[in-house]
Amino acid sequence: MTRRLPPLYALRAFEAAARYSSFTRAAEELAITQSAVSRHVRTLEEHFACKLFVRAGRSLVLSESGRLLLPGVREGFSSLERACATLIGEDGILRMKAPSTLTMRWLLARLSRFRHLQSGNEVQLTSAWMDIDDVDFNLEPFDCAVLLSNGTFPSDWEATWLFDELLIPVGGPELQAQAPWTADQLANAELLHPTPDRRDWRSWLRRTGLDHKVSIRGGQVFDTLELGMIAAARGYGVSIGDLLMVAEDVAAGRLSLPWPTAVASGESYYLVWPGTRPGSERVHRLSEFLRSEAASMKLPAVTLLR
């Protein structure tokens, strides 16, 4: 006997809303409106004749019925993703997720070279803004991803270290003649913050012993390294960049290093992928290529603090 199931789109909206505890963020992920998410959830509530979410002040929390439903819905979508991945992995295309700044500053050029080395090396890249880099291979349609991480990954993933994140102040080309700066020059400069929590400047200043001399208050705040480096190149102040990702711009005179000391953040860029997926041999080829590309990069001469 065929049992009537609720619409798949409604279940997907419920799962996303439950994951984020927010209709708004679920709508952003699903590329629909917040009111559409609300309607889809209401469809489920009418189907089951119960409430799935309750409001607690300004927060959205699962009801008891919602908590009972969620595990099965998640497992169902995971099973669907795994089934589809079996076919996706056989079409000869690797689907990759990567942070937006890394994509623009380093990865695009390398993937173009990789594709032209030999046939069958097609990579479909999705650039994503991620405050904290992550990927869910069960819920997202990717075969591999490049993530900034401390190297702790799920046991069923494989990972290849590409390069360490090395934080360094970057400015416009006109500052090169003044390098190296003094602490007073840095304290009086307009600091540009590539993260809303200002963590990159805070980390660099602490490791160089300048945290008591240079304030991180004020200054323009951005949400990516890329925007911070673009603003620095245009003379709006001094931002924090990654040494490898600014190397080519420094060599070409588009950026300068007013304080040539790089600090290891403790995190690195890794290529990661599920070890049990079809097509892993193609990811291995890609990982070897990207690692060799990173190793061959000529970096500016700086003092390195690890």
Side-chain angles (χ1 to χ4, degrees):
M1 181 177 64
T2 302
R3 289 175 294 180
R4 180 173 171 263
L5 293 175
L8 189 63
Y9 61 78
L11 290 169
R12 176 61 94 185
F14 164 72
E15 190 280 330
R19 182 156 29 94
Y20 289 116
S21 297
S22 167
F23 285 174
T24 301
R25 292 191 64 190
E28 292 172 355
E29 176 180 297
L30 300 174
I32 58 178
T33 64
Q34 190 245 6
S35 61
V37 172
S38 181
R39 285 197 307 272
H40 295 337
V41 171
R42 192 159 56 247
T43 295
L44 283 186
E45 291 178 332
E46 292 172 356
H47 179 89
F48 293 117
C50 64
K51 283 286 186 183
L52 298 176
F53 292 96
V54 294
R55 288 283 180 183
R58 299 182 65 182
S59 299
L60 183 72
V61 298
L62 286 167
S63 68
E64 182 60 28
S65 297
R67 285 193 290 271
L68 290 172
L69 178 64
L70 181 60
V73 171
R74 282 186 170 160
E75 178 56 34
F77 279 117
S78 295
S79 297
L80 286 172
E81 292 283 352
R82 287 192 293 270
C84 293
T86 301
L87 297 181
I88 290 173
E90 295 174 355
D91 65 3
I93 299 175
L94 287 177
R95 291 161 176 83
M96 172 189 284
K97 180 182 183 182
S100 54
T101 299
L102 178 75
T103 295
M104 297 303 299
R105 292 276 166 175
W106 188 77
L107 192 54
L108 271 180
R110 273 75 202 177
L111 291 182
S112 178
R113 188 150 52 242
F114 179 71
R115 283 193 296 266
H116 286 90
L117 282 176
Q118 53 182 300
S119 61
N121 283 340
E122 186 62 32
V123 180
Q124 185 179 92
L125 175 62
T126 296
S127 173
W129 177 86
M130 296 179 278
D131 183 42
I132 303 298
D133 291 6
D134 68 347
V135 65
D136 188 332
F137 289 116
N138 289 323
L139 297 177
E140 297 179 89
F142 301 114
D143 303 301
C144 59
V146 178
L147 303 178
L148 179 65
S149 169
N150 62 8
T152 302
F153 301 115
S155 58
D156 59 339
W157 287 15
E158 294 192 47
T160 294
W161 173 87
L162 299 177
F163 56 90
D164 293 333
E165 182 184 46
L166 303 175
L167 301 176
I168 192 166
V170 296
E174 71 280 357
L175 302 183
Q176 187 58 46
Q178 306 172 19
W181 275 14
T182 64
D184 286 341
Q185 284 176 294
L186 189 58
N188 292 323
E190 177 81 0
L191 299 189
L192 305 174
H193 302 280
T195 53
D197 60 5
R198 305 167 192 252
R199 63 180 179 267
D200 291 335
W201 267 117
R202 184 179 291 108
S203 176
W204 187 88
L205 290 169
R206 185 170 56 247
R207 285 287 287 113
T208 56
L210 296 171
D211 49 331
H212 298 300
K213 298 180 180 179
V214 180
S215 173
I216 62 172
R217 294 179 179 177
Q220 181 65 50
V221 175
F222 302 98
D223 57 10
T224 67
L225 282 172
E226 177 68 12
L227 290 175
M229 289 188 283
I230 289 174
R234 294 182 177 178
Y236 294 118
V238 180
S239 187
I240 283 285
D242 179 278
L243 184 63
L244 185 139
M245 283 191 259
V246 303
E248 293 174 346
D249 284 312
V250 170
R254 294 186 291 267
L255 284 171
S256 65
L257 304 177
W259 193 294
T261 297
V263 168
S265 71
E267 296 190 310
S268 303
Y269 286 95
Y270 294 85
L271 180 69
V272 299
W273 65 96
T276 57
R277 287 273 182 89
S280 61
E281 70 284 349
R282 288 181 287 125
V283 189
H284 275 289
R285 289 201 302 270
L286 176 61
S287 72
E288 292 170 4
F289 173 80
L290 292 179
R291 186 165 182 176
S292 67
E293 285 286 302
S296 66
M297 285 282 293
K298 185 176 182 180
L299 301 182
V302 300
T303 301
L304 178 57
L305 301 180
R306 292 194 178 274

